Amino acid sequence: MKLELVDAKKWINLFVEKVQANKANLNELDTAIGDGDHGTNMDRGMNAIKDSFAKKDPENLADLYKATAFAMIQKVGGASGPLYGTAFLDMSKAVKTENIELADLIQVGTDGIKRRGQSDVGMKTMIDVWQPVSDALKNDAFNQKVIDSALEIVKDLVATKGRASYLEEKSKDHIDPGAESSAYLFESLLEVLGD
Ligand code: ADP
Ligand code: MG
Ligand code: MG
């Protein structure tokens, strides 16, 4: 399965809406195990995405993902900006060069985060949502349950990357903020795939 431009636009626009509606929740999650700014950081990036699309409506998938990447790299800041930015930049390159399936596209994004963040599954980061979603898409088994159980698993993990890792064992029993914002990204994707 592949995502057409019109659906990919819906996907990113829904993501923007969800992040902005849940800005306070993301800040709250980050207050518990980080520095409290993940919602504020992401909100800035979402405004930059909106500005970018208003200025120039993306004409193809590569442009859409590239504009998303640039907005996030330039405006989100923190650890998460370059990570989301790399994911979308790599996805932009992938749709340009190959007729890539959605599952493989999300894996490309996941691999970009792993490379940029020197991180992998099990470190209590956004990767712990991206990778299970990639896997589920490959198995044609992507649904809300995949996202919910990924977040449950994330909650139990001890962080070994990012700010939360400074807390060691105390990072347990909290949802990672980047995993939560990634859940919004993929809940948005589910909504698009659903209709
Ligand atoms: P900062 O920690 O710089 O304040 P944010 O609060 O915006 O940045 O983002 C924090 C999120 O970034 C974490 O919840 C985690 O999901 C993600 N993150 C941080 N470091 C890494 C990493 N090395 N690899 C993957 N994700 C990471
Ligand atoms: Mg933070
Ligand atoms: Mg910060």
Side-chain angles (χ1 to χ4, degrees):
M1 194 225 334
K2 293 175 188 97
L3 219 51
E4 302 293 334
L5 177 61
V6 51
D7 289 327
K9 274 186 193 170
K10 273 191 213 159
W11 174 31
I12 302 302
N13 286 323
L14 279 168
F15 175 48
V16 167
E17 272 177 38
K18 276 192 212 297
V19 167
Q20 296 201 308
N22 292 285
K23 173 183 170 183
N25 183 43
L26 293 175
N27 277 339
E28 213 171 290
L29 292 174
D30 198 29
T31 298
I33 57 169
D35 58 354
D37 61 1
H38 189 57
T40 304
N41 292 345
M42 291 294 287
D43 180 62
R44 245 189 346 259
M46 299 303 105
N47 283 331
I49 291 174
K50 285 200 281 193
D51 288 349
S52 167
F53 291 179
K55 207 167 167 192
K56 191 177 176 299
D57 189 23
E59 284 168 14
N60 53 53
L61 286 168
D63 282 354
L64 176 77
Y65 296 140
K66 191 163 112 182
T68 302
F70 280 17
M72 295 190 83
I73 290 168
Q74 286 166 4
K75 296 291 178 193
V76 175
S80 58
L83 293 168
Y84 272 112
T86 300
F88 278 102
L89 203 54
D90 285 2
M91 286 160 59
S92 168
K93 287 177 195 155
V95 290
K96 216 169 196 167
T97 52
E98 28 177 329
N99 193 13
I100 191 167
E101 290 284 328
L102 178 61
D104 296 326
L105 184 69
I106 302 303
Q107 186 63 61
V108 163
T110 307
D111 291 341
I113 298 172
K114 288 181 183 177
R115 190 182 73 247
R116 188 72 165 79
Q118 303 274 292
S119 45
D120 209 336
V121 170
M123 296 177 158
K124 198 182 181 95
T125 70
M126 54 176 75
I127 289 291
D128 291 302
V129 168
W130 280 74
Q131 188 60 66
V133 168
S134 307
D135 293 341
L137 282 166
K138 282 176 221 162
N139 298 322
D140 216 4
F142 177 43
N143 54 39
Q144 185 62 42
K145 184 87 193 26
V146 171
I147 298 172
D148 293 344
S149 59
L151 289 179
E152 270 173 47
I153 292 169
V154 160
K155 199 170 172 178
D156 280 345
L157 289 170
V158 171
T160 54
K161 275 282 175 189
R163 254 171 226 289
S165 65
Y166 308 153
L167 294 179
E168 301 179 340
E169 282 290 323
K170 290 202 181 86
S171 65
K172 259 188 99 152
D173 297 324
H174 297 282
I175 292 178
D176 174 67
E180 180 77 8
S181 60
S182 297
Y184 302 153
L185 177 67
F186 294 117
E187 280 167 0
S188 303
L189 180 60
L190 259 186
E191 278 183 43
V192 170
L193 298 179
D195 49 56

